[in-house]
């Protein structure tokens, strides 16, 4: 089901003119005049359900007044009672019950009118979020952030991501009737622009995607954002492919897919927030520009270490050193049998190596094996390292850098 959530604010009532109205100019060209933007947005979007959130002092009476003018049966007694109650912050759920039926009859859609607190503290703010989640159990939703206290708009913005995470609800757009932007002269004089705050939504989603990538290493989190802002779908898919290849330790294939994306980013003009974050994304993909497998593996080892993915850090660090040994001996580092032969030869000749190299090799190998197989190492020294997170991090970093900077 498609739903609309709108906030109902206090409004400014004058005895001579009632509540202030505005002529809202929608992106598609429609102009609708009303003191309550949420109703006109509902008429524009045509959702199957509208949820109106307001406090005990919100302008509930404006709904009765406006709907009466537009042809709904008069409810003057209820309107006056609401007007009195809202002036003293005393509107009750019982007063909203008959108003719910009125709004449903006038709009032809399912309506829920819900009282919320004023979000004065953490407890009230969390209650509002829970109320919103309870009112939208499924489907997709648009959010109107126009009315209400200014801090309710901020809370409404956050609620979009809360709903997606808690209810798996798809948020379409965030809307705002920008009354303060109404021009007083010119061709659009008196027209209040209706804004889609999708730019802010895009920025938030990019920040979230960067955080998720830094925590997981999954390039695929950027794919839907880039495709939405103009990157070809096959190039966006290459990011998910790159993540797959990296998780299977196929670094040449990972690099090839990332280079496809990097070249596309250089020539594609990205819209929205993707244009703002292009450089940050390139920064995270730029390791693929280096056609040096050992360098690639070392970079990925240190990145895994930074996000505390210790098994992968040990594996990439160990493989980076094997790659460098293969290249020193003029061997092909991507051939499995060659790598095994080089590894066995180095292991057998450890007695000829410097103490620092021998110790780093043995420690990294034992840590890798212990974490890969999930079995405790036999060496008491390595056991102690495995039981101390800070020491494990430090020892892994030292071993990786020693072996791969020689």
């Amino acid at each position: 089901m498609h739903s609309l959530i709108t906030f109902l604010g206090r409004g400014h009532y004058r005895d001579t003119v009632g509540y202030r109205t505005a002529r809202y100019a929608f992106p598609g060209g429609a102009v609708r005049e009303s003191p309550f933007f949420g109703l006109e947005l509902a008429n524009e979007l045509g959702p199957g359900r509208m949820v109106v959130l307001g406090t005990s002092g919100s302008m509930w009476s404006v709904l009765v007044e406006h709907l009466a003018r537009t042809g709904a049966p008069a409810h003057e007694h209820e309107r006056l009672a609401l007007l009195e109650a809202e002036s003293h912050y005393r509107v009750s759920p019982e007063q909203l019950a008959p108003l719910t039926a009125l709004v449903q009859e006038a709009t032809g859609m399912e309506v829920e009118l819900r009282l919320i607190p004023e979000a004065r503290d953490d407890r009230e703010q969390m209650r509002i979020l829970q109320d919103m989640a309870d009112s939208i159990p499924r489907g997709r939703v648009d959010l109107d952030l126009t009315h209400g206290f200014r801090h309710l708009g901020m809370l409404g913005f956050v609620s979009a991501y809360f709903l997606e995470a808690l209810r798996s609800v798809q948020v379409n757009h965030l809307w705002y009737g920008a009354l303060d932007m109404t021009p007083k002269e010119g061709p659009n004089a008196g027209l209040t622009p209706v804004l889609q705050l999708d730019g802010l939504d895009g920025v938030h989603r990019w920040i979230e995607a960067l955080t998720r990538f830094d925590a997981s290493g999954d390039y695929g989190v950027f794919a839907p954002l880039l495709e939405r802002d103009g990157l070809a779908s096959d190039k966006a898919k290459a990011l998910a492919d790159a993540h797959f290849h990296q998780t299977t330790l196929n670094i040449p294939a990972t690099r090839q897919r990332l280079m496809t994306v990097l070249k596309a980013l250089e020539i594609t003009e990205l819209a929205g927030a993707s244009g703002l974050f292009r450089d940050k994304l390139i920064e995270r993909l730029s390791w693929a520009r280096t056609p040096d497998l050992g360098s690639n593996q070392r970079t990925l080892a240190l990145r895994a270490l930074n996000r505390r993915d210790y098994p992968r850090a040990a594996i990439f660090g160990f493989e980076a050193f094997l790659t460098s040994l293969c290249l020193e001996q003029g061997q092909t580092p991507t051939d499995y049998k060659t790598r095994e032969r080089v590894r066995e030869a180095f292991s057998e000749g450890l007695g000829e190596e410097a103490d620092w190299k021998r110790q780093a090799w043995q420690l990294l190998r034992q840590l890798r094996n212990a974490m890969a197989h999930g079995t405790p190492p036999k060496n008491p020294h390595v056991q102690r390292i495995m039981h101390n997170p800070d020491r494990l991090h430090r020892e892994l970093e030292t071993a990786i850098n020693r072996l791969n900077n020689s």
Side-chain angles (χ1 to χ4, degrees), residues 178-224:
L179 190 62
D180 292 342
M181 295 175 62
T182 306
K184 296 182 179 179
E185 54 187 38
N188 295 320
L191 293 180
T192 297
V194 175
L195 310 180
Q196 285 185 358
L197 303 182
D198 294 359
L200 296 179
D201 172 66
V203 169
H204 180 278
R205 293 185 189 280
W206 261 99
I207 294 172
E208 184 181 57
L210 289 169
T211 301
R212 288 171 58 195
F213 171 77
D214 290 341
S216 69
D218 183 359
Y219 305 105
V221 299
F222 303 114

Side-chain angles (χ1 to χ4, degrees), residues 144-157:
D144 165 30
L145 308 180
T146 304
H147 295 294
F149 299 119
R150 293 185 184 275
H151 66 295
L152 286 180
M154 183 182 299
L155 190 64
F157 185 80

Side-chain angles (χ1 to χ4, degrees), residues 96-291:
L96 296 185
L99 182 57
T100 300
L102 170 65
V103 180
Q104 288 186 162
E105 181 181 351
T107 61
M109 68 181 70
E110 180 183 341
V111 172
E112 178 180 357
L113 308 181
R114 186 182 283 252
L115 286 173
I116 59 173
E118 296 179 346
R120 294 176 181 272
D121 53 32
D122 290 351
R123 182 182 59 81
E124 290 190 350
Q125 291 158 18
M126 294 307 104
R127 179 184 154 191
I128 292 174
L129 291 176
Q130 187 61 57
D131 283 345
M132 295 178 75
D134 291 343
S135 66
I136 308 292
R138 65 189 183 281
R140 55 195 179 94
V141 63
D142 283 78
L143 280 94
D144 165 30
L145 308 180
T146 304
H147 295 294
F149 299 119
R150 293 185 184 275
H151 66 295
L152 286 180
M154 183 182 299
L155 190 64
F157 185 80
V158 172
S159 72
Y161 312 104
F162 175 76
L163 288 172
E164 287 188 337
L166 189 67
R167 295 296 193 206
S168 298
V169 171
Q170 175 191 343
V171 177
N172 287 338
H173 300 291
L174 307 177
W175 298 89
Y176 183 73
L179 190 62
D180 292 342
M181 295 175 62
T182 306
K184 296 182 179 179
E185 54 187 38
N188 295 320
L191 293 180
T192 297
V194 175
L195 310 180
Q196 285 185 358
L197 303 182
D198 294 359
L200 296 179
D201 172 66
V203 169
H204 180 278
R205 293 185 189 280
W206 261 99
I207 294 172
E208 184 181 57
L210 289 169
T211 301
R212 288 171 58 195
F213 171 77
D214 290 341
S216 69
D218 183 359
Y219 305 105
V221 299
F222 303 114
L225 304 178
L226 290 166
E227 187 172 355
R228 184 179 68 177
D229 287 344
L231 189 69
S233 59
D234 61 321
K235 302 303 186 294
K237 183 179 181 298
L239 286 165
D241 293 342
H243 177 61
F244 166 75
H245 291 306
Q246 185 167 301
T247 57
T248 58
L249 308 185
N250 187 346
I251 305 309
T254 304
R255 180 179 171 273
Q256 187 271 328
R257 301 308 288 153
L258 292 182
M259 282 302 299
T260 297
V261 178
L262 284 166
K263 291 176 182 177
L265 290 174
E266 292 172 353
I267 62 174
T268 303
E269 184 172 348
L270 297 173
S274 294
L276 293 176
F277 288 91
R278 180 204 305 260
D279 290 345
K280 287 296 182 182
L281 175 60
I282 290 175
E283 181 182 300
R284 285 161 170 79
L285 308 184
S286 60
W287 68 265
R289 297 187 190 276
T290 303

Side-chain angles (χ1 to χ4, degrees), residues 5-12 19 24 34-39 50-64 66 82 86 89 91 96 99 103 111-118 144-150 152-153:
I5 295 178
T6 179
F7 287 92
L8 185 61
R10 280 284 293 165
H12 300 284
Y19 285 98
Y24 293 103
S34 175
F36 179 40
F37 175 65
L39 278 179
M50 179 170 65
V51 178
V52 183
L53 303 175
T55 69
S56 60
S58 292
M59 54 179 183
W60 296 104
S61 61
V62 75
L63 289 174
V64 180
H66 178 68
L82 283 167
E86 66 195 39
Y89 293 85
V91 174
L96 296 185
L99 182 57
V103 180
V111 172
E112 178 180 357
L113 308 181
R114 186 182 283 252
L115 286 173
I116 59 173
E118 296 179 346
D144 165 30
L145 308 180
T146 304
H147 295 294
F149 299 119
R150 293 185 184 275
L152 286 180

